[in-house]
Amino acid sequence: MELRWLTLWPPLARVLFILTSLTIVLTGLYLAAPLINQVLLAVMLAIMLDPLISRLDSQRIPRLLSSLLMIALMLLILVFTTLKLTALTPDLVQLSRQAPALLAARLEQLTQAFSRLDGGITPDQLLTFVDAGALVRVVTAFLTQIPGVISWWIMVFLMLLFMLYEMPLLKTALQQRVEGKNRAFYLALQQGIQSVIVYARVKTLTSILGGLIVGIGAHLLGLKFAFFWGVLMFVFNYVPVLGSFIAAIPPVIQSYILFDLQVALAVAGFFMVLNLCLSSVIEPLLIGKRLDLALTTQLLAFLFWQALLGITGGILAIPLTYLLKKVLLAGYTPQEQQMELNQ
């Protein structure tokens, strides 16, 4: 990028110009989030699936046919999951109405303990800190929007089909356009995409594993909505740092309502052990230090992209941040670093 003219401006003017430009770009991204989310998901899925489709293409399976079969399989899984979750909506609506009263009855034990310490805390006061009804109502509101999700995903899959089919042409055209002085951008983008592919595959594997463990564990424990808790774990495991802990909140509250405090603490401990095994053992073992992003950076990236693009941005926060990091570092050459030091 030729921005030599910008270096002629005073430092304050440069800062104001960059902040103004960044504000305009971020505002546009925020307003266009619904469309951008679909495009980003299609691009990320195309990046993940392209190696598999290319391998099938080398085995003389037409690229269009393999792409259609892969998309049909994903659509089938989506429809099955949607129907299962939609069937849970009436029960979750009923639970959202009963949860505050049920939790208040359970909290009587805690209020008695506080009364011995002259705390003077009532169940209603404790419920202001733990509003189970509000939590379940959020989940219920999400479920009521599920029927519209299928049409949203159909558009994603349609874009994905064209992207997968035209990916070889796109890679060839991109490589031809970035030859010469822009080759560093292409190499950085290529390395970033390879790392994102590994990250996405490992994250998907651990999400499926975590979802199965949570769903089966909730079913064996006797919790209602075990399938939904498994799906919730699958989705939120993509959220860096805090995802699996957020997914643990509804099952822990439900186990406290149905059983007692000891069982709820055991469920919370189970989620902590599961999170440690997935995020601290399995993922580092399979990914290694390929992404090289600190936990603080991951958390800040999640907060930024979630605020900008919603839950889709939160799920794609790590891949987006890493790709931007690779491309920006590729454009920040040693010569430019020396020029800034000389100024």
Side-chain angles (χ1 to χ4, degrees):
M1 287 179 282
E2 296 293 338
L3 295 177
R4 306 292 183 185
W5 55 269
L6 189 59
T7 60
L8 302 176
W9 290 17
L12 180 59
R14 277 186 285 171
V15 171
L16 291 177
F17 175 79
I18 293 173
L19 289 177
T20 303
S21 303
L22 188 61
T23 301
I24 295 174
V25 171
L26 293 180
T27 302
L29 290 175
Y30 178 79
L31 295 177
L35 176 62
I36 292 175
N37 287 338
Q38 290 180 311
V39 175
L40 283 178
L41 276 174
V43 169
M44 288 298 172
L45 288 173
I47 290 174
M48 288 176 57
L49 295 175
D50 179 63
L52 176 60
I53 301 299
S54 299
R55 185 178 302 175
L56 294 175
D57 190 22
S58 65
Q59 300 295 326
R60 298 184 178 180
I61 299 178
R63 190 175 184 88
L64 180 60
L65 178 60
S66 58
S67 300
L68 283 173
L69 291 177
M70 190 62 62
I71 292 175
L73 177 61
M74 291 190 295
L75 183 60
L76 182 62
I77 295 174
L78 176 65
V79 171
F80 172 77
T81 304
T82 301
L83 293 177
K84 289 281 291 184
L85 294 179
T86 304
L88 298 176
T89 303
D91 292 334
L92 274 171
V93 171
Q94 184 179 3
L95 178 62
S96 66
R97 298 169 180 170
Q98 297 175 350
L102 294 173
L103 189 58
R106 284 294 184 183
L107 290 176
E108 286 287 351
Q109 301 174 0
L110 293 179
T111 56
Q112 292 175 3
F114 279 113
S115 64
R116 299 190 188 98
L117 300 175
D118 295 328
I121 297 179
T122 64
D124 291 336
Q125 291 173 328
L126 284 176
L127 282 174
T128 60
F129 298 99
V130 184
D131 191 351
L135 181 64
V136 179
R137 283 193 295 272
V138 170
V139 175
T140 305
F142 168 75
L143 286 176
T144 56
Q145 299 174 1
I146 283 179
V149 170
I150 294 182
S151 60
W152 190 87
W153 273 98
I154 288 176
M155 288 301 300
V156 173
F157 289 149
L158 185 61
M159 288 187 286
L160 175 62
L161 176 63
F162 287 105
M163 289 180 184
L164 287 175
Y165 181 70
E166 298 180 347
M167 187 66 72
L169 298 176
L170 177 61
K171 290 190 290 187
T172 302
L174 181 62
Q175 187 174 6
Q176 292 174 349
R177 289 179 178 273
V178 297
E179 288 295 338
K181 63 180 180 179
N182 294 322
R183 183 168 177 78
F185 285 101
Y186 177 75
L187 294 177
L189 184 62
Q190 192 176 38
Q191 294 173 3
I193 288 175
Q194 291 301 321
S195 298
V196 167
I197 289 174
V198 175
Y199 170 82
R201 287 177 177 175
V202 172
K203 203 67 176 176
T204 301
L205 176 64
T206 55
S207 296
I208 293 174
L209 181 61
L212 288 174
I213 292 175
V214 169
I216 294 173
H219 178 73
L220 294 177
L221 188 60
L223 295 179
K224 297 183 65 176
F225 318 117
F227 180 79
F228 180 67
W229 304 144
V231 172
L232 204 66
M233 179 64 185
F234 170 80
V235 173
F236 277 94
N237 190 61
Y238 285 97
V239 176
V241 184
L242 300 176
S244 56
F245 293 107
I246 297 174
I249 295 175
V252 169
I253 292 178
Q254 188 189 38
S255 61
Y256 180 58
I257 292 175
L258 294 180
F259 303 105
D260 52 27
L261 182 60
Q262 289 77 10
V263 176
L265 291 176
V267 173
F270 167 77
F271 271 93
M272 290 185 63
V273 172
L274 179 61
N275 177 67
L276 289 174
C277 291
L278 294 179
S279 62
S280 301
V281 179
I282 298 179
E283 290 179 6
L285 185 64
L286 297 178
I287 298 177
K289 296 183 178 179
R290 185 178 289 265
L291 295 185
D292 192 23
L293 291 176
L295 290 179
T296 303
T297 304
Q298 295 182 32
L299 181 59
L300 292 176
F302 164 73
L303 295 175
F304 172 79
W305 290 108
Q306 192 277 331
L308 188 64
L309 300 176
I311 186 62
T312 304
I315 292 174
L316 300 177
I318 301 304
L320 289 174
T321 303
Y322 182 74
L323 286 176
L324 284 177
K325 171 188 170 184
K326 293 291 291 185
V327 172
L328 291 176
L329 288 180
Y332 197 63
T333 61
Q335 291 81 1
E336 292 174 342
Q337 296 177 19
Q338 188 64 38
M339 287 179 57
E340 291 192 1
L341 290 176
N342 295 333
Q343 288 179 352

